[in-house]
């Protein structure tokens, strides 16, 4: 990492303040507040150890658990001021130069489409077809407790208040006192999980965002869309109705994703569906109360439009005593009285003005479509009454909330591994007195033939009372929970059955067989249909390569075709749609970054064509993580880099762990990140639908590079010395013992590289500052390209500034290189006990790192500091404070490993050292803004 040198320890903050200004002045203020808090608490020594505002902190001799806690907080404060700085910078830019001045947002995207010749009518016609759906997951990546996140959010709001010049000096002093109070609270709150969090606590964290953050973002998104639409000169009447705008939805994996996660039982899934439904009504009640407050229109019921009068009478009759109470409020304000009736019709028990539990009784709403019809009636009668502005503002906001969250809050996906399903089917066959054991060794052809024959009827293998073994019981019990939910409330609250490690069409047809056992298949005159989508997850490079063949067979299967027709009728979609999930983590883990990115791009292109030939829209679900190695990168560039059909009107992606907090912890940053998704999805959808389809200009070159880099990368992983080096030169063993997430670090518990999840794999390399998963093989490949195919290298160099895919991939490599530090790498490598292993693998890594840096400089021409000054100076200030943390972590790793190997060691002492070690992991993760 090339950093500015010849500066005194105290000057790092001064250097960054000089170049980037205000955010780092805020940092200095917060650090001084923290210093005062610690001194007031009698922690003067720790107060003097705060980095950047004290001399000599970069060479601290002793760093204990309290120091780790301190550093973790300090880096959170740095992250916070940088986020706020970015928000304020965008606001100023838009104010000075207009909405089109910020890349990736509505203003810039709509202006770009207009400049390319697309008309407002063409764009408006496609808008309702676009839906963006972030899916919240709880992989073991969020290293902070939810209670700590709450304090961070409060502190951020206070930081924003300090920006407001309307506050008097007295009021500013009050804000400063509140800031010190929160810092004091943070200091006294444990940063990491002492025990692994359970699924319920992870679910609470997801629900916080779904009920407290995203609803506040929706009106901001709508307002900014309308402003940008008008600024570019388009007719606002075209987008007046909520139904004429792009849609937003949310998905959820917490409580539904059971792949390698034994704690997610059918009871957990049942509870999750109930909790999500209850919280949806909490949110809708809040929205309707807000509507009641605003609709203060004087109008007696007898003077209201006839349609509203008739519906008021109906609702009053349906609701009995509740209806009488609702109508008795706000007399003389018919529109308010109508909303009161809608509130009374919500199926919840209300105590002390809070919805406390579901109350599904006669006369209450059961489906969100029923409330939607009432809100649309309210809107149309307000227009008829002459209150058009109110109808398309206040009621639009309520309809948007309902359209987004429904009565389900977020669509719950049910994910399981294909191998787990195989075991379940084997056990079910045995329970039905068939030869289930041999099923596991059947060929693909025999499996498909057997399943096809079985699926000619809707007869299950077993009776509901049959006691099934572990895997079969886990699957069927869950499917029965889902079947009951669908029977009561329809399919809106369920996303899909997702099959991880899909490798053949039988992996998908197997779900139909399992669904039949639980009553999720329906008999039609044409044959069986599945009520819910069955979605493959293609993860490894090999799986991505064969995905088009698998999907051809699956889409041509008669049950699939009938099921897609059935689901289309249920959803009201215009086309048959099939979701396909693609994984960014495992493909990178087994092939390196260039091979992974190209395998994904190529597979998405081929899968789109498979659907196109069958008149089926392929909707991609992007399984991205929080780091570059797992698919992260600038959102606007990611979307633009997708191949033709990569969005196809529907953009679904996972938001994992710390990514959720980084993107959505506060309202303005959340709206920015959601706007990037919406505006980017509309841009791609318009171009893909109305523009020309073309192959990538350098398809052959990139394919060659992917193959070369993969071979080079795999040679490292297959080196006999590699596993020992990895196990000793990174803190992977400590990460596997962490209490960060409820999910185990390995799928089955086997200690192999293949069984290790991609998240701890990336996390461990980033902690030790190798980051090899996002650059190893790039330098070798670029050097070979420049020597053997100089014309192609020149073309790559030429396109790097204009081609979305090339720019996106190499910008991410560039970012990763900036976070990689040779000195720290060598310090971690020194822990490897076998000198031959250490020297051999470290030499390979360092040689490739040097080569990659050299070739990237040749490709990009300018230095990192010139290209990306904000990122450069952020890394620069972090480096000074990170060095003592890494040294401490290395010492703790050595001590912990030695104690673990000692049979006489006291387990409590071993645990105490592990706790210190985990605190160091947390602090470094905060500094690097990533946990994998």
């Amino acid at each position: 990492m090339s950093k500015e040198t010849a500066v005194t320890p105290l000057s790092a903050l001064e250097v960054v303040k000089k170049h980037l200004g205000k955010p780092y002045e805020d940092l200095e203020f917060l650090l001084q507040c923290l210093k005062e808090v610690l001194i007031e608490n009698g922690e003067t020594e720790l107060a003097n150890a705060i980095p950047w505002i004290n001399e000599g902190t970069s060479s601290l001799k002793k760093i204990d658990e309290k120091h780790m806690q301190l550093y973790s907080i300090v880096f959170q404060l740095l992250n916070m001021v940088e986020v706020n700085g970015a928000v304020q910078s965008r606001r100023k830019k838009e104010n000075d130069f207009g909405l089109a001045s910020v890349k990736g947002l509505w203003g810039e995207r709509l202006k770009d489409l207009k400049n390319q010749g697309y008309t407002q009518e063409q764009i408006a016609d496609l808008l309702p077809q676009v839906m963006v759906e972030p899916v919240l997951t709880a992989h073991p990546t969020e290293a902070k407790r939810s209670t700590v996140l709450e304090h961070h959010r409060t502190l951020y709001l206070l930081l924003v208040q300090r920006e407001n010049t309307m506050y008097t000096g007295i009021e500013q002093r009050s804000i400063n006192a509140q800031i010190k109070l929160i810092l004091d609270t943070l200091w006294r709150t444990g940063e990491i999980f002492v025990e692994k969090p359970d699924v319920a606590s992870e679910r609470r964290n997801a629900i916080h965002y779904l009920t407290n953050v995203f609803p506040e973002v929706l009106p901001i998104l709508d307002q900014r869309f309308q402003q940008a639409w008008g600024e570019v000169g388009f007719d606002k009447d075209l987008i007046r109705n909520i139904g004429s705008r792009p849609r937003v939805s949310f998905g959820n994996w917490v409580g539904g994703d059971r792949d390698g996660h034994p704690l997610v039982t059918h009871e957990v899934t049942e509870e999750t569906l109930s909790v999500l439904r209850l919280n949806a009504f909490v949110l809708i009640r809040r929205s309707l109360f807000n509507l009641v407050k605003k609709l203060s229109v004087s109008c007696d019921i007898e003077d209201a439009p006839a349609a509203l009068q008739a519906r008021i009478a109906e609702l009053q009759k349906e609701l009995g005593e509740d209806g009488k109470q609702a109508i008795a409020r706000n007399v003389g304000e018919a529109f308010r009285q109508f909303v009161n009736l809608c509130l009374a019709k919500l199926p919840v028990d209300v105590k002390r003005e809070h919805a406390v539990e579901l109350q599904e009784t006669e006369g209450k709403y059961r489906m969100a479509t029923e409330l939607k019809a009432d809100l649309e009636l309210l809107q149309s009668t307000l227009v008829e009454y002459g209150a058009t502005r109110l109808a398309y503002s206040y009621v639009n906001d309520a309809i948007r909330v309902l359209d987004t969250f429904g009565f389900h809050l977020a669509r719950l996906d049910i994910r399981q591994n294909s191998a787990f399903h195989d075991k379940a089917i084997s056990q079910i066959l045995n329970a039905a007195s068939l030869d289930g054991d041999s099923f596991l060794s059947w060929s693909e052809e025999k499996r498909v033939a057997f399943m096809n024959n079985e699926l000619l009827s809707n007869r299950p293998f077993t009776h509901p009372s049959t006691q099934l073994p572990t895997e079969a019981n886990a699957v069927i019990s869950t499917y029965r929970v889902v079947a009951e939910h669908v029977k009561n409330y329809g399919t809106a609250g369920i996303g899909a059955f997702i099959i991880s490690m899909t490798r053949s069409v039988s992996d998908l047809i197997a779900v139909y067989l399992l669904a039949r056992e639980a009553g999720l298949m329906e008999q039609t005159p044409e044959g069986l249909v599945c009520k819910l989508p069955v979605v493959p997850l293609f993860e490894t490079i090999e799986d991505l390569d064969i995905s088009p063949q698998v999907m051809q067979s699956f889409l041509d299967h008669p049950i699939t075709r009938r099921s897609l027709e059935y689901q289309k009728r249920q959803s009201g979609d215009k086309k048959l749609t099939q979701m396909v999930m693609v994984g960014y983590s495992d493909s990178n883990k087994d092939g390196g970054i260039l091979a992974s990115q190209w395998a994904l791009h190529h597979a998405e292109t081929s899968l789109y064509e498979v659907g196109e030939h069958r008149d089926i829209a392929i909707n991609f679900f992007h399984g991205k993580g929080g780091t570059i190695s797992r698919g992260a990168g600038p959102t606007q560039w990611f979307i633009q880099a997708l191949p033709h059909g990569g969005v196809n009107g529907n953009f679904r992606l996972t938001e994992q762990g710390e990514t959720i907090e980084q993107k959505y912890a506060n309202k303005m940053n959340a709206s920015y990140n959601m706007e990037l998704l919406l505006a980017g999805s509309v841009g791609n959808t318009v171009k893909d639908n109305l523009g020309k389809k073309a192959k990538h200009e350098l398809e052959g070159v990139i394919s060659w590079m992917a193959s070369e880099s993969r071979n080079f990368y795999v040679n490292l992983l297959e080196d006999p010395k590699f596993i020992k080096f990895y196990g000793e030169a990174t803190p992977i063993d400590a990460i596997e013992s962490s209490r960060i997430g409820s999910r185990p670090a390995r799928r089955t518990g086997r200690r192999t590289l293949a069984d290790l999840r991609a998240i701890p794999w990336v996390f461990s390399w980033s902690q030790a500052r190798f980051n090899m998963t996002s650059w190893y093989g790039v330098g070798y490949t670029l050097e070979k390209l420049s020597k053997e195919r100089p014309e192609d290298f020149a073309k790559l160099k030429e396109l790097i500034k204009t081609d979305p895919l090339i720019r996106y991939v190499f910008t991410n490599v560039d970012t990763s290189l900036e976070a990689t530090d040779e000195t720290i790498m060598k310090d971690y490598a020194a822990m490897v006990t076998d000198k031959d292993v250490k020297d051999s693998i470290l030499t390979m890594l360092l040689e490739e790192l040097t080569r990659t840096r050299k070739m990237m400089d040749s490709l990009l021409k300018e230095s990192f500091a010139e290209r990306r000054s904000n990122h450069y100076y952020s890394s620069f200030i972090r480096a000074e404070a990170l060095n003592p943390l890494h040294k401490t972590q290395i010492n703790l790793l050595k001590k912990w490993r030695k104690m673990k190997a000692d049979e006489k060691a006291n387990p409590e002492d071993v645990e105490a050292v592990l706790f210190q070690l985990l605190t160091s992991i947390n602090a470094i993760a905060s500094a690097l803004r990533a946990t994998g």
Side-chain angles (χ1 to χ4, degrees):
M1 186 188 294
S2 55
K3 301 291 173 211
E4 295 198 16
T5 53
V7 291
T8 64
L10 193 63
S11 65
L13 183 56
E14 294 302 321
V15 169
V16 180
K17 276 166 57 182
K18 177 183 167 186
H19 285 89
L20 300 181
K22 178 71 168 57
Y24 299 92
E25 292 167 11
D26 287 344
L27 174 64
E28 188 172 30
F29 164 76
L30 290 175
L31 293 178
Q32 290 292 354
C33 285
L34 179 60
K35 185 172 184 176
E36 290 171 24
V37 164
L38 290 174
I39 290 171
E40 288 164 11
N41 286 336
E43 300 278 10
T44 304
E45 184 187 342
L46 276 172
N48 292 327
I50 295 174
W52 307 313
I53 60 169
N54 291 301
E55 290 188 42
T57 56
S58 61
S59 56
L60 288 171
K61 294 286 183 277
K62 177 204 168 200
I63 296 188
D64 60 18
E65 199 177 301
K66 280 191 172 182
H67 286 86
M68 291 293 185
Q69 169 87 348
L70 172 68
Y71 271 64
S72 197
I73 292 171
V74 162
F75 281 120
Q76 287 304 323
L77 299 181
L78 174 57
N79 295 342
M80 195 176 293
V81 298
E82 288 182 344
V83 166
N84 187 46
V87 169
Q88 301 309 326
S89 173
R90 288 192 297 270
R91 290 180 68 197
K92 185 176 188 311
K93 198 171 184 181
E94 288 183 339
N95 187 59
D96 294 345
F97 305 106
L99 293 173
S101 61
V102 179
K103 284 189 180 358
L105 300 183
W106 277 123
E108 192 251 354
R109 291 285 80 208
L110 290 173
K111 184 179 179 182
D112 177 58
L113 290 173
K114 185 180 181 182
N115 290 343
Q116 290 189 47
Y118 300 110
T119 68
Q120 60 179 6
E121 289 80 14
Q122 286 177 312
I123 299 168
D125 188 51
L126 288 167
L127 290 176
Q129 296 179 34
V130 175
M131 185 169 81
V132 165
E133 186 173 19
V135 179
L136 307 187
T137 78
H139 283 275
T141 58
E142 179 54 87
K144 289 181 291 300
R145 296 166 57 198
S146 56
T147 186
V148 172
L149 296 175
E150 291 287 347
H151 297 320
H152 289 169
R153 288 167 199 135
T154 305
L155 186 57
Y156 180 87
L157 291 174
L158 291 168
L159 188 63
V160 172
Q161 283 182 34
R162 285 190 77 243
E163 306 271 344
N164 198 327
T165 54
M166 67 172 276
Y167 288 113
T168 65
I170 294 171
E171 289 167 331
Q172 284 286 356
R173 286 194 291 277
S174 173
I175 292 168
N176 292 353
Q178 290 177 65
I179 285 172
K180 289 175 71 175
L181 175 63
I182 294 298
L183 288 171
D184 198 349
T185 308
L186 265 177
W187 173 247
R188 296 172 187 278
T189 306
E191 270 271 323
I192 67 169
F193 286 106
V194 179
E195 297 298 334
K196 269 186 175 289
D198 59 11
V199 178
S201 63
E202 291 175 329
R203 186 173 60 212
R204 279 194 297 274
N205 204 26
I207 285 173
H208 168 85
Y209 288 97
L210 291 165
T211 55
N212 295 320
V213 178
F214 293 127
E216 292 186 1
V217 167
L218 294 177
I220 298 171
L221 290 172
D222 277 325
Q223 182 185 38
R224 286 181 56 82
F225 174 56
Q226 291 174 90
Q227 287 174 333
W229 187 266
E231 188 177 279
V232 84
F234 290 166
D235 181 2
K236 285 192 177 181
D237 281 345
L238 290 170
I239 59 162
R240 187 166 63 174
N241 283 314
I242 281 292
S244 61
R245 300 176 195 170
R247 294 168 292 156
V248 178
S249 178
F250 292 94
N252 173 46
W253 275 17
V254 187
D257 179 17
R258 57 235 314 120
D259 178 12
H261 199 332
L263 298 179
V264 181
T265 61
H266 72 277
E267 292 97 342
V268 166
T269 296
E270 185 174 26
E271 184 182 80
T272 298
L273 286 166
S274 179
V275 168
L276 289 171
R277 186 168 170 86
L278 176 61
N279 278 278
F281 289 124
V282 169
L283 181 53
I284 288 164
R285 282 188 85 247
R286 192 189 307 159
S287 171
L288 293 181
F289 270 124
N290 196 34
L291 191 54
V292 169
K293 278 186 201 170
K294 291 174 177 176
L295 281 182
S296 55
V297 179
S298 293
C299 173
D300 290 325
I301 291 176
E302 54 268 26
D303 297 328
L308 190 73
Q309 289 188 45
R311 184 59 179 148
I312 285 174
E314 279 179 30
L315 287 171
Q316 204 174 343
K317 186 178 177 184
E318 287 171 14
L319 290 166
E321 187 58 37
D322 287 347
K324 285 180 187 175
Q325 290 179 22
I327 209 76
R329 291 192 295 274
N330 307 112
V331 174
E333 296 172 322
F335 296 101
R336 271 181 163 170
Q337 288 174 297
F338 179 76
V339 181
N340 286 336
L341 287 164
C342 294
L343 276 162
K345 200 170 170 64
L346 294 177
V348 285
D349 182 22
V350 179
K351 290 177 182 170
R352 294 186 297 278
E353 296 302 312
H354 292 287
V356 291
E357 63 183 7
L358 295 170
Q359 193 178 57
E360 314 274 2
T361 55
E362 194 68 33
K364 302 285 186 177
Y365 291 122
R366 185 164 288 273
M367 305 291 185
T369 49
E370 298 162 9
L371 175 57
K372 174 85 175 281
D374 281 338
L375 289 176
E376 287 176 339
L377 174 67
L378 174 65
Q379 188 170 59
S380 64
T381 52
L382 274 167
V383 171
E384 185 182 339
Y385 192 72
T388 304
R389 188 188 296 270
L390 277 62
Y392 290 113
S393 178
Y394 300 151
V395 185
N396 263 358
D397 287 347
I399 292 174
R400 172 64 93 182
V401 168
L402 183 63
D403 279 351
T404 300
F405 299 101
F407 283 1
H408 57 272
L409 196 64
R411 297 200 297 164
L412 185 69
D413 287 338
I414 307 297
R415 183 174 77 134
Q416 185 54 277
N417 195 290
S418 58
F420 196 96
H421 282 167
D422 286 347
K423 286 182 185 174
I425 290 173
S426 168
Q427 291 167 357
I428 288 168
L429 293 178
N430 282 335
S433 301
L434 300 169
D435 186 7
D437 293 342
S438 67
F439 170 81
L440 296 172
S441 59
W442 285 358
S443 68
E444 173 68 4
E445 293 73 19
K446 188 171 181 181
R447 283 189 182 203
V448 171
F450 169 76
M451 291 177 185
N452 286 344
N453 185 59
E454 275 297 324
L455 290 165
L456 292 172
S457 81
N458 204 13
R459 168 195 46 76
F461 286 114
T462 60
H463 189 271
S465 63
T466 304
Q467 294 292 308
L468 296 170
T470 305
E471 284 82 2
N473 183 57
V475 174
I476 301 307
S477 297
T478 298
Y479 279 30
R480 283 178 181 146
V481 164
V482 172
E484 183 66 18
H485 183 87
V486 169
K487 181 179 127 188
N488 291 331
Y489 310 120
T491 58
I494 308 294
F497 289 124
I498 297 175
I499 300 83
S500 53
M501 293 298 172
T502 297
R503 285 171 174 157
S504 63
V505 74
S506 69
D507 291 337
L508 301 174
I509 301 171
V511 179
Y512 294 150
L513 211 57
L514 293 164
R516 188 183 70 169
E517 289 297 297
L520 278 165
M521 300 296 284
E522 187 168 304
Q523 188 73 52
T524 69
E526 295 79 25
L528 286 179
V529 298
C530 187
K531 296 177 183 178
L532 292 165
V534 174
V535 173
L537 168 49
F538 299 111
E539 300 178 79
T540 67
I541 289 178
E542 285 78 9
D543 296 347
L544 288 164
D545 286 346
I546 63 165
S547 62
Q549 291 76 41
V550 172
M551 289 312 295
Q552 283 172 13
S553 300
F554 184 58
L555 294 177
D556 289 341
H557 196 282
I559 293 183
T560 302
R561 189 79 191 194
R562 288 195 300 267
S563 297
L564 295 183
E565 293 276 6
Y566 173 89
Q567 291 157 20
K568 173 177 169 257
R569 288 193 299 274
Q570 297 294 110
S571 66
D573 288 341
K574 291 182 178 178
K575 280 189 77 173
L576 298 182
T577 60
Q578 170 66 48
M579 191 193 302
V580 175
M581 187 172 183
V582 288
Y584 288 69
S585 305
D586 283 278
S587 56
N588 178 278
K589 182 179 153 217
D590 65 25
I593 192 157
L594 293 185
S596 170
Q597 290 291 321
W598 180 245
L600 286 156
H601 192 89
H602 184 66
E604 285 164 24
T605 300
S606 301
L607 288 164
Y608 170 78
E609 290 170 354
V610 167
E612 190 177 37
H613 293 152
R614 291 158 177 78
D615 200 27
I616 296 171
I618 300 295
N619 289 338
F620 290 104
F621 179 9
H622 303 274
K624 295 160 86 265
T627 56
I628 285 164
S629 298
R630 300 185 49 244
T635 300
Q636 66 269 36
W637 302 133
F638 171 77
I639 295 173
Q640 289 179 47
L642 291 170
H644 185 97
V647 173
N648 212 9
N650 191 303
F651 189 67
R652 199 172 199 245
L653 76 162
T654 52
E655 296 285 24
Q656 297 184 352
E658 82 288 340
T659 310
I660 299 171
E661 191 227 346
Q662 287 169 10
K663 287 185 177 181
Y664 305 116
N666 67 77
K667 185 168 63 175
M668 295 315 296
N669 206 41
S671 67
Y672 167 69
N673 283 292
M674 286 298 296
E675 187 175 338
L676 287 174
L677 294 174
L678 279 164
S681 297
V682 166
N684 275 38
T685 298
V686 170
K687 291 175 187 177
D688 288 355
N689 275 269
L690 304 175
K692 291 180 181 176
K693 181 183 174 187
K695 285 192 172 183
H696 194 281
E697 192 175 346
L698 288 184
E699 181 175 321
V701 177
I702 300 173
S703 179
W704 177 88
M705 292 173 68
S707 175
E708 290 292 330
S709 66
R710 183 185 183 190
N711 291 338
F712 189 78
Y713 175 90
V714 169
N715 281 342
L716 173 68
L717 266 58
E718 291 181 348
D719 189 300
K721 303 182 183 79
F722 177 77
I723 291 292
K724 182 171 176 61
F725 180 91
Y726 169 60
E728 296 182 8
T730 75
I732 181 58
D733 45 351
I735 288 167
E736 289 185 307
S737 300
S738 75
R739 279 82 164 178
I740 296 171
S742 65
R743 175 187 299 278
R746 295 178 187 269
R747 280 193 162 91
T748 67
R750 292 195 302 270
R751 295 203 61 79
T752 64
L753 194 58
D755 198 56
L756 181 70
R757 291 182 180 277
I759 295 166
W761 163 254
V762 174
F763 193 4
S764 53
W765 285 115
S766 68
Q767 280 276 311
R769 304 295 290 284
F770 286 84
N771 296 306
M772 57 79 68
T773 54
S774 48
W775 54 258
Y776 194 85
V778 174
Y780 164 82
T781 305
L782 287 174
E783 185 178 75
K784 190 170 183 180
L785 183 71
S786 69
K787 289 177 179 176
E788 296 181 9
R789 305 170 65 160
E791 289 181 6
D792 290 334
F793 183 77
K795 189 66 179 173
L796 185 74
K797 206 169 182 176
E798 178 192 325
L799 289 178
I800 200 160
K801 286 192 175 178
T802 57
D803 181 87
L805 176 64
I806 294 171
R807 176 180 55 194
Y808 177 73
V809 172
F810 286 103
T811 297
N812 282 342
V813 172
D814 194 33
T815 301
S816 186
L817 287 172
E818 176 64 9
T820 303
D821 190 304
E822 297 96 316
T823 303
I824 293 170
M825 285 168 64
K826 290 174 184 174
D827 289 343
Y828 278 87
M831 290 191 291
V832 178
T833 51
D834 187 316
K835 186 176 184 302
D836 184 40
V837 169
K838 183 197 82 171
D839 292 346
S840 175
I841 302 298
L842 183 62
T843 299
M844 292 167 73
L845 289 165
L846 291 175
E847 284 178 354
E848 176 60 3
L849 178 60
T850 301
R851 186 163 41 222
T852 304
R853 285 211 166 111
K854 175 187 162 192
M855 294 311 300
M856 288 293 291
D857 285 344
S858 169
L859 203 59
L860 296 165
K861 299 174 187 174
E862 297 173 310
S863 71
F864 191 89
E866 291 169 311
R867 291 193 308 273
R868 301 166 68 188
S869 62
N870 281 21
H871 197 117
Y872 171 81
Y873 284 108
S874 177
S875 297
F876 171 62
I877 196 170
R878 288 166 195 274
E880 179 184 289
L882 268 165
N883 291 334
L885 292 181
H886 284 297
K887 286 175 185 171
T888 301
Q889 185 178 93
I890 289 167
N891 289 334
L892 287 168
L893 271 168
K894 289 177 182 174
K895 185 177 180 181
W896 179 62
R897 286 169 179 171
K898 187 177 179 181
M899 290 173 76
K900 273 202 310 173
D902 183 358
E903 293 178 2
K904 296 176 183 175
N906 184 331
E908 289 183 6
D909 293 340
V910 177
E911 185 68 17
V913 175
L914 174 61
F915 188 83
Q916 288 183 298
L917 187 49
L918 296 180
T919 312
S920 79
I921 288 171
N922 193 61
I924 292 171
S926 295
L928 298 173
R929 292 169 291 190
T931 55

